[in-house]
Structure formats: C-alpha cells, structure tokens
C-alpha cells in the first residue's frame, strides 16, 4: 500500500517539477539584474574558462609560494564559493593545489569561508592521506567555530582509515575544548558513517573509549550491531547486543532485522527463526511488514513454502496486506518446488504487479529450464505496462544461451557468431580468446560470459541497428524468443538517451491514465 501511495504522490508532483525545470532554464537563459531586496544566489553559474584557468595555475605552480599568489592576482576572476568548490572538484585527491587556493582565499578580504568550503578542503586533505596537515586544518576549523556534523564524519572516516585510533577519540576532546561539548548526536552520525564504510571495529573502539564522557544510546548500539552484521561477525554483534541489554535499552526492530538477516546469510536458519519466535511471543505489536518480508524472502529461497504460508496467514489476520516484494518471493519459492500452476495463480491474483513480481516469475522459470515460458512472461510484462530493466535482459539471455554460452540449432546464427563475433568487432580481443579456442578444441574451459559488458559495448546508435538486424536473422532461423528480446532491447535500451527518457515517459503515461 505504501509503495503505490508513494508512487502516486511522486506522479502528482511531476507537473510541479516540470514547471520548476522550465523556470530554471528560462532564468539561466535570460540575464536579470538582481534587486537590492533579493539575496544573492550562492549557486550561480561560473565560467568554465575561468575555472580551467585557475586550475591550470594551481596545478603548474603548486610548489611555488608568492609567485602563485601573484599569478592568481593577475588573473581576472571573482573568487566566489561556487568557483572555489568547482576548482576543488578538479583535484579530488591532491591536497597541495586545494590548500594553496585556501591560502590565497585567506588573503582576499571579499571572500569568507563557509562550513561547506572548509569541509571540502578537509575532505580532500584527508583523501590524500596527509594526516599532519589534516589534523592542523581540523583544529583551524574548530577555532573558526565552523564545525558541523559533516566535519565529525570526515574526521573520523579519514583517521579510521589511517588507523589513527587515538586521534579518532581525541577529535571529540578537541571539539569540547573549542566549546562544542560532548554530543551523542555527533557521535551517532560518525558511528553511522564508519559502520556503513565497514569500519565497525574502529567505531566500537571510539564508542568504548568515550563512554565516560558520551553515554551511548539505542541508536549507537543499533549502528554497531548493523556494522558487525554487515561484515559477517555475528559473535561481536551478539556481544554488543548483550551490552545494550545490560545498559537498560531494549533492542529496536531495526537491530533485530539486521541480526536476522545476517543469520539467514550465514545459513543459520534455526537461530534466525528462534529470534523471530521470541519477537512473536514478547513483542508481537512491533512486528510489521518489513520483518515479515525479510523472513518470507529467505524462507522461500530455502524452499520452505509451508512455513512462509503460515507467516502470510498471520500477516493477514493482523491486517497487514502483502506487498509486491513479498508476493515475488512466494512466487519464486513455489517455482523452486516446481509448483508452477500455483505460482501462476498467485501472479494472476496480484492486481498491480510490478517489476519485482515479474522478475520472481522469470527467475523461477529459468531455474526450471523453461526459457520459453520466461520469455512469454517477459512479453506479458511489457503488455501490462511494466518496462524491463537491464537485469531483465541479462537474466533472459543467460536462460536462453547459458552463463558460459551454448551451441544453438543453427550453425550460422548462434552464441559464437553473435556474442564472440560481437566482442571481436568491438575490439575486445582478450575477452573473446577463450571462446574462440572453444570453437576449435571443443573442451576448453571458458569463464562466465559477461552479457552486461557486451550490451554496454553496443549501447549506441550502431548497436540499435545491430540489434534490429540480429532480431531479423534470429526470426529467420526460428529463434523467436531471442529475436523478441533483442528487438525490445534495441528499441528501448540500446542508447543512453532512450534509457534516460523511458522512465519519464512511463510516469507521464501513468499520470494520464490516472487522470
């Protein structure tokens, strides 16, 4: 229900987005003199020639001192925040030109740094691994009273990657001396960034060392549990879980779902279902659609259809309606157990199936070695207004031709003539070598064929013509399914412009249908 509501609200906002886009293009096309009451726009366009000129001077004279400043003073340009950020983007991993520009900006009385510009310089210095200068500049930002939560995130990620764990802890003490105090919100944002970057061990070290000054809350423990589950360490995640319970906090549903998903991934289905059962007995009201969806998805992957149906009945009794993702998991699980007719009945009972439902059907049929039926579902998917994506085409090609390619009935139009010949034509000689050897010696072991790379090679106007000709030849030899797949790809996916326009067209069509 939420998915359909969100999509409708997005479609209703589409005309407003178009008006804003037209207004933005018209205002950039015509020059308007700003009035005194209108505040200046900080994102005004900057001349690319001036950005290139300033970037060239910084690169060529980055080891100079006063000479660099004299060259910049002689260059006619206005040092704005937008130009400063654009120049910094030209040197994402080189600290010296960016720091030289910062030093020059300090000599200009009309320019004053903002937290955004300072954080950008700090980020580039950190990516270049100049830790000494990074620490000095971090202190300068603190003394300027320009520290933001983004500053904490940049500081801890950089120092954690450099294994400067003492300085990771010292960041909070230093900011306290500058008057920012010890904030659990800043700690949580930094811990979240570290855990998302798989630096959970460093995040745990920081949390434990700061425990006397910053008391962790349930959000802190949640991110630590998520981080350890993300790297596959359920033992450490369990330890953090126990520490959280001892501290008087109750595990929230996000932490429980993260732990359950990791247990499923580790093939510990028994432990995951025990955790689910404990939730059903003690905290039934907290169980919602995301938790049911997670468990049903993994049970269907394992082929446990009856257990999935029990959970579906429980959902419906509690008034929780099935979404398309859960239905797709059930369809795939039924096909894994070869209950094809039942899967078709589930598909027919869905009022508005989306791409996840059709992908579950196609994936299950391909697993049963039924590429013809999968292509029929592909045609039905298009007929019902659901546009395929790149993953759809790759699944179908692997189902028809195999992950390593296989021989077809026709000796002229087959895997080797289409795909291996296409790689040779595209200049990918090294990738085509093994497949060419298999043509000669028959028993050569070849790697898995990358259909995605092949389609990427011909994602241009030439590929559009090639896929159309390929579909015609395939129809002549009786390969109707492959012909339809290639023809549809050539019509809708071959060029980047068509891929970019296609979602907007589908939104407009659905909007017109709703009206």
């Amino acid at each position: 229900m939420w998915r359909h509501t969100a999509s409708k609200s997005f479609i209703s906002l589409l005309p407003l987005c178009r008006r804003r886009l037209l207004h933005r293009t018209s205002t950039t096309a015509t020059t308007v003199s700003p009035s005194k009451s209108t505040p200046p726009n900080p994102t005004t366009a900057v001349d690319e020639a001036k950005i290139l000129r300033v970037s060239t001077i910084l690169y060529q004279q980055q080891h100079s001192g006063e000479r660099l400043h004299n060259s910049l003073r002689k260059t006619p340009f206005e040092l704005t925040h937008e130009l400063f950020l654009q120049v910094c983007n030209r040197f994402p991993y080189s600290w010296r030109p960016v720091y030289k520009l910062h030093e020059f900006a300090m000599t200009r009385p009309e320019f004053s740094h903002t937290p955004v510009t300072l954080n950008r310089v700090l980020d580039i210095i950190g990516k270049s691994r100049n830790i000494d200068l990074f620490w000095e500049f971090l202190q300068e930002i603190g003394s300027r009273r320009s520290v933001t939560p983004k500053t904490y995130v940049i500081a801890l990620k950089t120092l954690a990657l450099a294994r400067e764990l003492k300085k990771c802890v010292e960041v909070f003490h230093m900011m306290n001396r500058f008057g920012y105090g010890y904030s659990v919100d800043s700690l949580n944002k930094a811990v979240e960034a570290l855990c998302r970057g798989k630096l959970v061990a460093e995040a745990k070290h920081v949390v434990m060392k700061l425990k006397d000054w910053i008391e962790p809350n349930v959000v802190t423990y949640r991110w630590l549990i998520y981080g350890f589950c993300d790297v596959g360490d359920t033992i450490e995640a369990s330890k953090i879980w126990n520490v959280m319970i001892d501290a008087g906090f109750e595990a929230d549903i996000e932490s429980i779902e993260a732990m359950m998903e990791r247990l499923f991934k580790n093939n510990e289905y028994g432990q995951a279902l025990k955790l689910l059962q404990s939730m059903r007995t003690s905290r039934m009201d907290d169980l919602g659609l995301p938790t049911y969806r997670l468990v049903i998805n993994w049970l269907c992957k394992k082929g446990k259809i009856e257990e999935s149906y029990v959970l579906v009945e429980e959902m419906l009794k509690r008034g929780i309606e099935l979404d398309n993702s859960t239905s797709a998991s059930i369809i795939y699980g039924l096909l894994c157990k070869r209950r094809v007719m039942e899967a078709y009945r589930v598909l027919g009972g869905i009022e508005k199936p989306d791409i996840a439902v059709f992908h579950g059907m196609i994936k299950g049929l391909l697993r049963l070695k039924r590429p013809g039926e999968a292509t029929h579902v592909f045609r039905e998917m298009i007929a019902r207004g659901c546009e395929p994506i790149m993953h759809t085409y790759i699944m179908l090609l692997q189902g028809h031709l195999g992950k390593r390619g296989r021989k077809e009935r026709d000796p002229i139009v087959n895997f080797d003539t289409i795909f291996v010949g296409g790689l040779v034509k595209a200049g990918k000689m090294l990738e085509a070598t093994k497949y060419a050897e298999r043509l000669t010696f028959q028993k050569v072991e070849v790697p898995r064929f990358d259909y995605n790379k092949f389609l990427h090679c011909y994602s241009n106007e030439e590929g559009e013509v090639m896929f159309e000709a390929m579909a015609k030849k395939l129809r002549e030899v009786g390969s109707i399914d492959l012909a339809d797949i290639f023809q549809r790809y050539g019509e809708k996916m071959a060029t980047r412009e068509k891929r970019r326009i296609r979602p907007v067209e589908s939104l407009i069509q659905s909007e017109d249908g709703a009206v």
Side-chain angles (χ1 to χ4, degrees):
M1 293 296 293
W2 180 87
R3 183 192 301 267
H4 301 313
T5 306
S7 61
K8 288 180 181 178
S9 62
F10 178 75
I11 292 170
S12 64
L13 289 174
L14 190 62
L16 179 61
C17 295
R18 289 202 207 104
R19 289 197 298 269
R20 288 179 178 175
L21 181 61
L22 292 172
H23 175 70
R24 188 180 303 169
T25 53
S26 62
T27 53
T28 54
T30 59
T31 305
V32 181
S33 59
S35 60
K36 294 182 180 181
S37 60
T38 304
N41 187 4
T43 59
T44 53
V46 183
D47 188 5
E48 286 291 329
K50 294 181 179 179
I51 296 175
L52 180 61
R53 178 59 180 160
V54 173
S55 302
T56 304
I57 294 173
L58 290 170
Y59 177 75
Q60 293 178 345
Q61 303 180 25
Q62 58 182 304
H63 297 283
S64 303
E66 190 61 29
R67 178 188 169 193
L68 170 63
H69 288 192
N70 292 333
S71 300
L72 290 175
R73 290 191 191 99
K74 294 177 182 177
T75 305
F77 73 98
E78 182 183 1
L79 185 58
T80 61
H81 296 103
E82 183 65 21
L83 184 140
F84 188 93
L85 293 173
Q86 291 287 345
V87 173
C88 289
N89 291 337
R90 300 294 179 97
F91 306 98
Y93 298 100
S94 181
W95 66 269
R96 198 181 300 273
V98 174
Y99 192 71
K100 291 292 184 180
L101 179 62
H102 161 69
E103 291 181 333
F104 173 75
M106 297 301 297
T107 63
R108 310 297 293 180
E110 70 275 7
F111 182 86
S112 60
H113 271 295
T114 65
V116 176
T117 56
L118 291 172
N119 285 338
R120 186 67 183 125
V121 176
L122 183 70
D123 188 32
I124 294 173
I125 296 174
K127 288 178 179 177
S128 64
R129 293 294 184 270
N130 190 341
I131 301 300
D132 294 335
L133 180 61
F134 179 86
W135 189 251
E136 292 178 6
F137 196 74
L138 183 63
Q139 291 177 322
E140 181 180 342
I141 295 176
S143 63
R144 285 172 172 267
R145 303 287 299 171
S146 299
V147 176
T148 63
K150 181 69 173 176
T151 312
Y152 284 95
V153 171
I154 295 172
L156 264 73
K157 284 191 71 173
T158 301
L159 296 172
L161 286 170
R163 297 295 298 171
E164 295 281 353
L165 299 183
K166 289 185 178 179
K167 287 187 176 180
C168 287
V169 179
E170 183 61 28
V171 167
F172 291 88
H173 297 315
M174 180 178 67
M175 294 306 169
N176 180 60
R177 290 195 294 271
F178 286 123
Y180 288 97
Y182 294 104
S183 171
V184 70
D185 293 332
S186 300
L187 175 64
N188 288 341
K189 290 183 181 297
V191 169
E192 176 185 354
L194 292 177
C195 292
R196 288 187 182 276
K198 299 187 184 298
L199 297 169
V200 61
E202 291 79 359
K204 178 187 174 184
H205 176 84
V206 173
V207 171
M208 295 306 170
K209 290 293 183 180
L210 290 171
K211 208 168 184 179
D212 294 336
W213 294 274
I214 305 177
E215 186 68 27
N217 59 12
V218 67
V219 179
T220 315
Y221 290 117
R222 178 206 303 164
W223 282 114
L224 290 176
I225 292 172
Y226 165 82
F228 281 115
C229 290
D230 191 35
V231 299
D233 195 345
T234 55
I235 296 176
E236 284 295 329
S238 301
K239 291 180 180 178
I240 296 296
W241 186 294
N242 295 333
V243 171
M244 177 176 61
I245 300 300
D246 294 340
F249 296 107
E250 188 178 31
D252 56 1
I253 195 66
E254 289 83 3
S255 303
I256 296 171
E257 289 176 359
M259 182 70 79
M260 288 173 60
E261 186 172 10
R262 174 43 60 184
L263 290 172
F264 280 127
K265 287 181 179 179
N266 291 352
N267 205 23
E268 299 178 16
Y269 279 75
Q271 295 296 327
L273 294 177
K274 284 181 181 178
L275 185 56
L276 174 66
Q277 186 60 32
S278 66
M279 286 288 296
R280 293 165 76 183
T281 55
S282 60
R283 299 172 57 183
M284 190 68 173
D285 294 337
D286 293 338
L287 285 179
L289 178 60
T291 311
Y292 283 113
R293 184 196 303 132
L294 170 68
V295 179
I296 291 172
N297 180 34
W298 283 98
L299 288 176
C300 290
K301 286 182 180 179
K302 195 71 173 177
K304 299 179 181 292
I305 297 299
E306 306 305 328
E307 291 87 341
S308 301
Y309 277 160
V310 171
L311 291 177
V312 170
E313 291 177 3
E314 183 180 303
M315 288 174 57
L316 296 177
K317 286 181 181 179
R318 296 183 57 205
I320 303 174
E321 296 186 10
L322 267 72
D323 62 342
N324 284 336
S325 298
T326 311
S327 301
S329 301
I330 293 173
I331 290 173
Y332 179 72
L334 289 169
L335 291 172
C336 290
K337 303 297 285 186
R338 296 185 175 275
R339 294 157 67 171
V340 181
M341 297 307 297
E342 194 173 345
Y344 274 111
R345 284 196 295 270
V346 174
L347 176 62
I350 301 175
E351 183 179 355
K352 294 181 180 180
D354 62 359
I355 194 167
V357 176
F358 289 111
H359 275 186
M361 196 74 189
I362 292 172
K363 186 178 178 182
L365 290 171
L366 293 177
R367 178 169 176 165
L368 296 178
K369 309 296 183 185
R370 298 186 181 184
E373 288 188 42
T375 310
H376 179 72
V377 174
F378 169 74
R379 298 189 188 99
E380 180 68 21
M381 171 182 175
I382 297 172
R384 298 183 70 168
C386 188
E387 189 64 39
I389 59 175
M390 183 68 78
H391 182 60
T392 317
Y393 294 100
I394 293 173
M395 277 198 306
L396 290 169
L397 290 176
Q398 287 179 347
H400 279 279
L401 299 170
K403 293 182 179 180
R404 289 176 171 81
R406 63 170 71 98
K407 290 186 177 180
E408 288 294 312
R409 295 171 297 176
D410 193 271
I412 299 176
V413 183
N414 52 37
F415 172 83
D416 296 310
T417 57
I418 295 174
F419 292 98
V420 181
L423 287 178
V424 174
K425 184 179 178 181
K428 306 290 183 180
M429 301 296 294
L430 186 62
E431 290 86 346
T433 302
K434 282 291 182 181
Y435 301 95
E437 289 180 6
R438 186 174 62 176
L439 284 171
T440 306
F441 302 106
Q442 301 296 323
K443 293 185 179 180
V444 175
E445 189 69 24
V446 295
R448 181 171 177 171
F449 188 81
D450 194 346
Y451 292 96
N452 193 6
K453 184 180 292 186
F454 175 84
L455 296 176
H456 176 73
C457 291
Y458 290 98
S459 292
N460 47 34
E461 297 296 336
E462 178 188 0
E464 185 177 357
V465 177
M466 186 194 75
F467 287 125
E468 184 179 353
M470 191 187 305
K472 184 178 179 181
K473 290 183 179 180
L474 288 168
R475 281 197 174 85
E476 291 175 357
V477 299
S479 298
I480 306 299
D481 293 337
L482 276 174
D484 289 346
I485 295 169
F486 282 119
Q487 182 177 354
R488 184 67 182 183
Y489 183 85
E491 290 174 354
K492 297 293 183 179
M493 295 287 290
T495 62
R496 181 179 298 175
E497 288 74 15
K498 289 185 177 181
R499 288 199 298 272
R500 187 180 295 121
I501 294 171
R502 191 183 70 256
V504 178
E505 290 178 345
S506 62
L507 280 175
I508 294 172
Q509 290 173 2
S510 60
E511 181 189 0
D512 295 338
V515 173

